[in-house]
Amino acid sequence: DMVFQRRMDGTVNFYRGWDQYKNGFGHAAGEYWLGLDTIYLLTLKKTYELRVDMEDFDGQKAYAFYSSFAISPEVTNPELDGYTLQVTGFKDGGAGDSLTYHSGMKFSTFDRDQDAHETNCAVGAVGGYWFNGCYLSNPNGLYTWGLNSQMGVNWRGWKTFYSVKAISMKIRPVNRSL
């Protein structure tokens, strides 16, 4: 499994501009974002599935699973395309579906507004993401140590406006040889 996004302790600032989200930041052992370019290149040649794991401050865990995950599939210039998210095939692991709403959306940061809202969702949500108008999930939001917040690290299908303790997004190639 390749983890491309991880929050766990609030040590890394996720309120960053376009170039940082494009190229990646943080450290793989801790909080980090792999980078839109790298995620795009990884998912270019094969079909990938996505699992989003999360945990609250009471030790409860849940996940959401998507049988297909891609960024700007079949596009030669993903940045020009906005690194558009494509996810399908939701299966519930207790977290509910808070990502399908974001499918088909371009990535937005405070310095590149590509969402479906009249204001810049990345500013209000304090992080870059595939915002729609604005979000049902915000894993790159402000780390608030469990404080209920609309700007927090949210997955609304699980807990509305509760800022989770930990969340990670990981992908792996779908085994087509079954």
Side-chain angles (χ1 to χ4, degrees):
D1 293 12
M2 165 61 72
V3 176
F4 71 81
Q5 185 274 359
R6 184 188 293 117
R7 306 298 293 281
M8 56 196 271
D9 54 17
T11 53
V12 172
N13 176 16
F14 275 66
Y15 191 51
R16 296 176 184 240
W18 181 261
D19 288 347
Q20 299 245 358
Y21 272 99
K22 178 184 172 180
N23 298 316
F25 56 86
H27 300 283
E31 294 201 325
Y32 89 122
W33 176 262
L34 182 62
L36 290 163
D37 253 359
T38 306
I39 302 164
Y40 164 77
L41 290 169
L42 272 174
T43 59
L44 195 57
K45 302 282 186 230
K46 293 180 186 163
T47 304
Y48 276 76
E49 55 191 26
L50 167 72
R51 183 172 156 134
V52 186
D53 283 293
M54 60 206 79
E55 182 181 353
D56 69 12
F57 282 85
D58 298 318
Q60 290 182 286
K61 296 179 180 181
Y63 71 88
F65 176 86
Y66 299 85
S67 60
S68 175
F69 168 89
I71 291 177
S72 292
E74 292 160 47
V75 169
T76 50
N77 188 333
E79 188 170 14
L80 203 63
D81 188 56
Y83 295 103
T84 301
L85 175 69
Q86 298 291 345
V87 290
T88 56
F90 168 71
K91 291 188 188 75
D92 200 358
D97 180 9
S98 294
L99 193 59
T100 299
Y101 172 72
H102 297 266
S103 190
M105 298 311 299
K106 296 172 188 248
F107 203 88
S108 284
T109 54
F110 65 72
D111 58 349
R112 190 167 302 189
D113 183 359
Q114 305 189 108
D115 60 46
H117 199 264
E118 60 270 14
T119 63
N120 186 338
C121 296
V123 174
V126 200
Y129 198 53
W130 295 281
F131 294 110
N132 190 331
C134 279
Y135 68 87
L136 292 182
S137 56
N138 185 28
N140 297 332
L142 196 63
Y143 198 91
T144 65
W145 289 271
L147 182 73
N148 286 357
S149 168
Q150 291 199 33
M151 298 172 287
V153 180
N154 298 145
W155 191 272
R156 288 191 196 168
W158 192 34
K159 298 176 182 242
T160 310
F161 296 133
Y162 176 92
S163 192
V164 301
K165 178 183 181 187
I167 190 163
S168 65
M169 305 178 88
K170 56 187 168 224
I171 53 174
R172 70 177 179 197
V174 174
N175 188 349
R176 290 285 183 217
S177 60
L178 294 173

